Amino acid sequence: MTTYANSPRRYILGLGCESGTDWNDVCALAERALQEVGIGSEQLLAVVSIDTRINEPAILEVATHFRLPVRFFKAAALERETPRLKNPSELVFAHVGCHGVAEAAALAAAGADAELVLPKIKSNFATAAIARIG
């Protein structure tokens, strides 16, 4: 996605959640993430997550809410991002096969020269992170 470096949409929202999480909870977390970075949804390029959540209503609804495309990554692709994660988790690795979902997906989508502008934040059942395309 680094071809979008000159776009005003230079941010990627990474999301993770437990199966069946209410979309309002995930959306509230996404809104909080945007607030913490100080950007609006018009600056987001995509919503991203792990492929085991490809049919997860909460993630799909958040993407629809922000009118953004959604992209999913295999655990192996997310695991390659582990050296760049701020909050790697052995527990997440045990459950899904990578050391992070929200941070790793945001970084994977944003490209090799991306940086996390918001490391993982959590609610009871979801995580969010934001990466900026370099």
Side-chain angles (χ1 to χ4, degrees):
M1 284 197 170
T2 56
T3 58
Y4 297 105
N6 294 323
S7 170
R9 294 181 176 263
R10 298 192 60 199
Y11 297 88
I12 305 289
L13 174 63
L15 293 175
C17 68
E18 291 185 22
S19 183
T21 300
D22 185 285
W23 93 270
N24 290 300
D25 292 341
V26 181
C27 191
L29 184 64
E31 294 282 2
R32 187 176 119 210
L34 293 174
Q35 258 186 337
E36 289 194 23
V37 175
I39 62 171
S41 62
E42 73 281 353
Q43 293 176 275
L44 290 175
L45 184 60
V47 172
V48 295
S49 191
I50 191 167
D51 67 350
T52 58
R53 293 293 176 255
I54 199 164
N55 293 314
E56 186 62 43
I59 290 174
L60 299 174
E61 287 290 332
V62 169
T64 299
H65 171 75
F66 289 126
R67 295 184 175 101
L68 291 169
V70 62
R71 182 173 175 197
F72 297 93
F73 293 89
K74 294 193 176 302
L78 299 183
E79 182 60 12
R80 287 192 291 273
E81 300 297 332
T82 300
R84 300 198 299 161
L85 301 183
K86 301 289 185 197
N87 299 288
S89 169
E90 291 297 327
L91 182 63
V92 173
F93 182 80
H95 285 287
V96 298
C98 59
H99 282 86
V101 173
E103 289 183 353
L107 288 166
D113 56 348
E115 67 173 323
L116 280 175
V117 293
L118 181 68
K120 176 177 71 179
I121 60 171
K122 300 193 285 187
S123 66
N124 288 335
F125 303 106
T127 59
I130 297 177
R132 181 175 53 228
I133 296 169

